[in-house]
Amino acid sequence: MPKRSKEDTEITIQKIMDAVVDQLLRLGYDKMSYTTLSQQTGVSRTGISHHFPKKTDFTAALDSRIFKMFVEHVDFDNGLDSFSSSWVTALDNEEFRAILRLLFHHIVTTQNTHEFAINGIDRLYKMTESQFGGSSSKELEWLIGKSLVRMV
């Protein structure tokens, strides 16, 4: 069998990543599997596991992309009150809640919090502190708590 080109491999990986994002947001982390990804992409389970041997490899590869999607739902440009208000409003958005569920899932389901969750929370604290000052951490903690309660 001829070797696949680098471009073909990149296209395949992108197809898998797009399906992963779709399924993470639509089905959730637990229901997404190599089988569901194979069905959606047409790439064999073996082919997917060749590029992503562990399920956690998906979130590691998508870390920045998912964080960017999350940040698009909140207002970092118009002060802490607007940020907080936009977060509360975003709780009505299914994509926003799905991203939060994914983040919370990685915090609570493993003995060692997955790097994806650590990076996400750390970035969020750094962004709010950079934009709104050190006292913003209390507001962020309140928003995270409100989100947890809302999603139960």
Side-chain angles (χ1 to χ4, degrees):
M1 178 168 15
K3 188 173 178 174
R4 296 187 58 185
S5 72
K6 194 172 189 171
E7 293 80 23
D8 286 344
T9 300
E10 288 301 316
I11 290 169
T12 299
I13 290 171
Q14 190 57 50
K15 181 191 273 189
I16 295 167
M17 298 289 28
D18 290 344
V20 168
V21 169
D22 174 62
Q23 290 190 22
L24 285 173
L25 299 180
R26 203 170 33 81
L27 302 174
Y29 186 81
D30 287 334
K31 292 182 182 172
M32 180 192 75
S33 68
Y34 287 92
T35 300
T36 61
L37 291 170
S38 178
Q39 291 168 345
Q40 184 172 342
T41 62
V43 177
S44 71
R45 288 171 35 155
T46 304
I48 294 170
S49 65
H50 171 74
H51 297 292
F52 303 97
K54 296 180 299 199
K55 196 172 175 182
T56 54
D57 293 337
F58 295 121
T59 50
L62 288 168
D63 185 29
S64 293
R65 183 171 170 182
I66 292 172
F67 190 76
K68 183 177 183 238
M69 292 170 69
F70 178 83
V71 168
E72 289 172 355
H73 290 279
V74 291
D75 180 358
F76 275 96
D77 298 325
N78 296 300
L80 186 57
D81 288 340
S82 291
F83 169 76
S84 185
S85 175
S86 67
W87 182 302
V88 171
T89 300
L91 287 172
D92 292 329
N93 181 282
E94 183 56 38
E95 180 180 275
F96 187 77
R97 287 193 316 272
I99 295 168
L100 283 172
R101 272 192 299 279
L102 179 64
L103 183 65
F104 295 149
H105 170 87
H106 279 81
I107 291 171
V108 299
T109 59
T110 58
Q111 287 181 340
N112 297 326
T113 300
H114 188 269
E115 190 174 333
F116 168 78
I118 292 170
N119 288 343
I121 293 293
D122 189 48
R123 265 193 236 156
L124 208 44
Y125 272 96
K126 285 179 178 172
M127 280 183 75
T128 55
E129 185 176 328
S130 168
Q131 288 294 110
F132 313 120
S135 63
S136 64
S137 64
K138 293 229 183 285
E139 184 73 10
L140 181 57
E141 289 164 6
W142 179 82
L143 290 167
I144 291 170
K146 182 171 184 62
S147 300
L148 282 168
V149 168
R150 172 86 184 272
M151 293 168 59
V152 172

